């Protein structure tokens, strides 16, 4: 008690603050989400995500080498497929010569030590923009799982280190583990989007992939029948625990900064690493506010990333990964 205890003694300068700091960040804490498109030498900025681009495979490989040199050890990859390849089955998702499969092979060939975690969901391949197959006006859970297993196995065949199911179908982690093992991919891991909320923070991401649900009165207008209600907390713990029981090697909470209470709850409940996705809307808000001079970009970026780590994240998937790694390396 005061005056015997004075908390400010441990804050008097940066040297002592660094000695007693409870949470630290390094580039290896980050995973970099990347968007891939067809073509060669293609680099198109996403208007709602300043500084983030859709790149062709050749330029994606260059970027992967650059971020690996910065100390980033994982990438989470997404593809924008041509409209002509979309249908209600998602069959292009497991095409062995598809854009995702070629991208995985190219990245692993050029940078074998980079951990590649491709997204597994049908929305980039769906004419409806949903994460699953539409039957009788709703998302067919089990039929979607069967399709997603084919997709995951094709990713493993291409060289993926982990598969990252973001669909939120019931029971899909167990089906993935069974399917991967049956195909001989016992060492390919599963990073499950366990607590993925039906959030308005995903808008810029859907612009990047043109994957928003279409306006059709005969199908769900949004993703609330499978993504989680953002009013719920206990449900997130239940979902994460079920995924671990089904074989998930890592679980994810998404979004990030607005859901730090969920991150801590999940971290306390599971015995596997917890990944947090610092999502596109959170990225875009910082960019927009800093462009207007309302926030200090680098300071708020690092504060948010530190807070996510402090809440319990073992790995942070963030569009700021490259910028933050550059700052940390300085």
């Amino acid at each position: 008690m005061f005056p015997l205890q004075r908390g400010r003694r441990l804050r008097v300068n940066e040297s002592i603050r660094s000695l007693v700091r409870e949470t630290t960040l390094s580039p290896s804490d980050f995973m970099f989400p990347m968007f891939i498109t067809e073509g060669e030498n293609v680099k198109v900025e996403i208007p709602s995500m300043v500084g983030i681009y859709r790149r062709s495979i050749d330029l994606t490989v260059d970027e992967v080498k650059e971020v690996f040199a910065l100390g980033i050890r994982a990438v989470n990859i997404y593809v924008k497929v041509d409209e002509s390849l979309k249908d209600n089955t998602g069959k292009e998702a497991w095409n062995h010569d598809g854009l995702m499969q070629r991208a995985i092979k190219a990245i692993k060939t050029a940078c074998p030590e980079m951990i590649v975690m491709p997204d597994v969901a049908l929305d980039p391949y769906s004419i409806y923009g949903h994460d699953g197959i539409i039957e009788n006006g709703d998302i067919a859970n089990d039929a979607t799982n069967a399709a997603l297993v084919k997709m995951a196995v094709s990713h493993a065949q291409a060289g993926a280190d982990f598969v990252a199911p973001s669909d939120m179908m019931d029971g899909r982690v167990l089906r993935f583990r069974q399917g991967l093992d049956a195909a001989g991919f016992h060492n390919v891991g599963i990073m499950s989007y366990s607590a993925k909320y039906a959030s308005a923070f995903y808008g810029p991401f859907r612009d990047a992939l043109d994957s928003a649900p279409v306006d059709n009165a005969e199908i769900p207008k949004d993703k609330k029948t499978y993504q989680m209600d953002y009013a719920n907390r206990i449900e997130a713990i239940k979902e994460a625990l079920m995924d671990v029981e089904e074989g998930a090697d890592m679980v994810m909470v998404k979004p990030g900064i607005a859901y730090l209470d969920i991150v801590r709850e999940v971290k306390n409940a599971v015995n596997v690493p917890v990944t947090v996705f610092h999502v596109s809307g959170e990225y875009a808000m910082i960019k927009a506010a800093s462009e207007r001079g309302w926030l200090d970009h680098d300071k708020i970026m690092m504060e948010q990333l530190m807070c996510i780590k402090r809440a319990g994240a073992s790995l942070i998937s963030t569009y700021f990964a490259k910028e933050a790694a550059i700052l940390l390396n300085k």
Side-chain angles (χ1 to χ4, degrees):
M1 50 187 289
F2 182 85
L4 299 179
Q5 292 293 329
R6 293 178 181 264
R8 290 181 60 192
R9 293 182 187 130
L10 300 181
R11 304 178 205 137
V12 71
N13 56 44
E14 178 55 25
S15 293
I16 188 61
R17 290 193 296 270
S18 68
L19 284 175
V20 300
R21 190 162 289 141
E22 299 172 31
T23 307
T24 58
L25 276 175
S26 75
S28 62
D29 291 321
F30 304 138
M31 176 162 60
F32 191 30
M34 306 183 77
F35 300 113
I36 304 170
T37 191
E38 288 284 10
E40 292 185 11
N41 199 34
V42 176
K43 180 180 177 181
V44 180
E45 188 171 37
I46 300 159
S48 54
M49 299 178 70
V50 175
I52 301 298
Y53 298 84
R54 288 191 294 265
R55 289 179 166 87
S56 51
I57 290 176
D58 54 331
L59 298 188
T60 298
V61 166
D62 292 342
E63 183 80 346
V64 167
K65 291 178 181 177
E66 185 177 344
V67 298
F68 188 84
L70 291 171
I72 295 167
R73 293 294 178 260
V75 292
N76 189 201
I77 58 176
Y78 303 83
V79 294
K80 185 181 187 304
V81 300
D82 189 88
E83 291 294 320
S84 65
L85 299 173
K86 297 182 180 183
D87 61 13
N88 187 37
T89 71
K91 63 181 182 296
E92 177 63 20
W94 55 89
N95 177 358
H96 293 295
D97 196 38
L99 179 58
M100 178 67 87
Q101 290 76 8
R102 286 182 280 123
I104 295 168
K105 291 176 184 176
I107 293 169
K108 291 302 292 185
T109 298
C111 193
E113 294 181 58
M114 180 65 85
I115 300 300
V116 178
M117 301 190 189
D119 178 63
V120 182
L122 295 184
D123 49 331
Y125 304 90
S126 169
I127 54 174
Y128 298 116
H130 274 288
D131 290 33
I133 296 168
I134 302 290
E135 290 181 0
N136 302 317
D138 198 5
I139 286 73
N141 191 92
D142 296 357
T144 296
N145 280 345
L148 293 173
V149 169
K150 295 178 186 178
M151 186 179 181
V153 170
S154 77
H155 292 176
Q157 290 169 337
D161 300 284
F162 280 74
V163 292
S166 63
D167 56 284
M168 287 297 287
M169 297 297 113
D170 292 336
R172 91 274 208 214
V173 173
L174 177 60
R175 299 292 180 265
F176 276 45
R177 190 67 273 157
Q178 292 171 334
L180 289 166
D181 288 355
F185 296 107
H186 304 89
N187 290 328
V188 172
I190 301 171
M191 181 191 70
S192 175
Y193 289 57
S194 299
K196 181 179 180 180
Y197 284 84
S199 171
F201 282 107
Y202 305 150
F205 173 91
R206 291 173 182 167
D207 290 344
L209 294 185
D210 190 22
S211 62
V214 299
D215 187 8
N216 185 324
E218 298 180 0
I219 65 172
K221 65 180 180 179
D222 52 39
K223 301 190 177 187
K224 292 182 179 180
T225 67
Y226 45 103
Q227 294 179 358
M228 284 182 48
D229 183 344
Y230 58 71
N232 293 355
R233 175 182 61 86
I234 295 173
E235 184 184 11
I237 302 169
K238 180 185 76 171
E239 290 282 351
L241 287 172
M242 286 194 301
D243 283 358
V244 172
E245 289 175 359
E246 291 180 17
D249 301 283
M250 291 188 268
V251 297
M252 177 185 278
V253 176
K254 181 181 180 182
I257 206 71
Y259 292 78
L260 295 186
D261 59 322
I262 306 301
V263 176
R264 174 44 57 185
E265 293 271 15
V266 169
K267 178 68 172 179
N268 289 344
V270 302
N271 58 1
V272 299
V274 176
T275 303
V276 175
F277 206 137
H278 193 218
V279 300
S280 59
E282 296 170 311
Y283 174 89
M285 289 193 300
I286 292 177
K287 289 294 183 182
S290 62
E291 283 180 353
R292 288 160 177 77
W294 298 342
L295 293 174
D296 183 305
H297 177 279
D298 290 352
K299 288 181 179 178
I300 199 72
M301 171 182 72
M302 298 307 291
E303 181 177 344
Q304 287 204 0
L305 294 172
M306 184 70 79
C307 291
I308 293 171
K309 179 80 181 291
R310 187 196 66 217
S314 303
L315 179 64
I316 305 170
S317 184
T318 175
Y319 300 98
F320 286 116
K322 184 177 178 181
E323 294 172 276
I326 290 170
L327 277 181
L328 289 167
N329 286 332
K330 289 180 179 178

